[in-house]
Amino acid sequence: MNGFKCFYTKRAKETITSVYLFIQQKFEDSVADKFIKKAEKTIKLISEHPYMFKESSFEVNVRIGLITKQTSVFYRVTNNAIHILFFWNNQQEPLDI
């Protein structure tokens, strides 16, 4: 099944790198690599089923996909694309956007 094309914002690239480095420092490379694989799998699911995850309560058209219990991805669906906005450590303070 062909899905929507996914585009990563600059903030998404920065935050996934930040989460990866945090996991790598706290645990080890293999755990960080598993996180990236889970993130890629989640993004693929989003591209194929963009409305499968819940809408955010703070902004219209922004959805929140769960990658792991500790990490989520925030994204926006447009007519023909998915825009990956940022990755979030769920253990941080609640969002104030």
Side-chain angles (χ1 to χ4, degrees):
M1 172 187 249
N2 287 340
F4 283 56
K5 180 100 172 133
C6 291
F7 298 95
Y8 288 74
T9 63
K10 181 180 177 184
R11 185 173 179 199
K13 292 174 185 176
E14 291 169 352
T15 54
I16 196 168
T17 299
S18 175
V19 171
Y20 178 86
L21 292 173
F22 173 79
I23 295 169
Q24 187 181 44
Q25 287 177 336
K26 190 166 182 173
F27 301 101
E28 56 187 47
D29 289 352
S30 64
V31 177
D33 292 343
K34 283 181 186 177
F35 162 73
I36 292 297
K37 286 185 170 116
K38 286 181 181 182
E40 289 171 347
K41 184 178 177 182
T42 302
I43 300 301
K44 185 174 187 315
L45 281 171
I46 290 169
S47 77
E48 294 171 353
H49 308 284
Y51 300 101
M52 73 182 286
F53 290 109
K54 69 179 181 173
E55 280 189 277
S56 72
S57 59
F58 62 86
E59 190 173 330
V60 178
N61 297 326
V62 172
R63 302 183 90 76
I64 306 168
L66 191 64
I67 297 171
T68 67
K69 189 166 77 171
Q70 298 83 13
T71 313
S72 295
V73 59
F74 286 69
Y75 65 98
R76 178 174 287 120
V77 181
T78 63
N79 291 335
N80 57 0
I82 305 293
H83 298 270
I84 308 299
L85 303 175
F86 60 93
F87 294 82
W88 185 257
N89 178 341
N90 297 327
Q91 298 169 336
Q92 290 177 270
E93 291 295 317
L95 287 173
D96 184 24
I97 296 180

